Amino acid sequence: MTDKELRRLSRSELLEMLIAQTEENSQLKIRLEQAEAQLRDRRIEIDKAGSLAEAALSLNGVFQAAEAAAQQYLENIQRISSQQDTICRSLKEKAEKETAQIRQEAQAYSEKVHAEADAYWKQVVARAAKLLEDQNSLREMIYSAGKVER
């Protein structure tokens, strides 16, 4: 970060950066201490080994442990992947069942609404026909009443 950018930052931003750097510094110190401890342990083991052949045999055990850990990691990944596949298939099947049920309910509702609309339309047509019939009857009555008076 340039000086100009640093000058533009507020105090709170500078404090946040300082805190973040302090935390990172602490973590790095801890990692350094761990690495130094491991280095001391290895030096002690090499000193104990007494010869290059014994040191090689000791390191071979480290490689075997690393290989076993890697194998275990791969097995865990495969197991988790298999579980995830099972879960995904289960969720997919559940979603398909729910989708089919929703479609069936929507179809039934659609059919019900269409049936109700058809029934209502038939009632409207029947009432309109009845109204027209009554109107024609009334008109005939009016005409026939007019003929009688004349």
Side-chain angles (χ1 to χ4, degrees), residues 64-118:
Q64 287 175 346
E67 186 177 340
Q71 182 63 32
Q72 184 181 12
Y73 177 76
L74 288 175
E75 289 171 0
N76 283 339
I77 293 295
Q78 290 172 344
R79 180 181 51 81
I80 290 170
S81 176
S82 174
Q83 289 174 347
Q84 290 297 323
D85 287 345
T86 302
I87 290 169
C88 287
R89 277 194 302 274
S90 172
L91 289 175
K92 183 179 178 184
E93 290 172 5
K94 182 179 178 183
E96 288 173 351
K97 287 178 184 177
E98 288 178 2
T99 302
Q101 181 182 357
I102 290 169
R103 282 184 179 158
Q104 186 179 15
E105 290 172 0
Q107 181 66 32
Y109 180 76
S110 174
E111 290 173 4
K112 177 185 169 193
V113 168
H114 279 102
E116 289 174 357
D118 288 343

Side-chain angles (χ1 to χ4, degrees), residues 120-134:
Y120 183 75
W121 182 250
K122 287 178 183 177
Q123 288 177 354
V124 168
V125 168
R127 285 182 184 172
K130 175 73 171 137
L131 236 146
L132 287 174
E133 184 181 319
D134 290 346

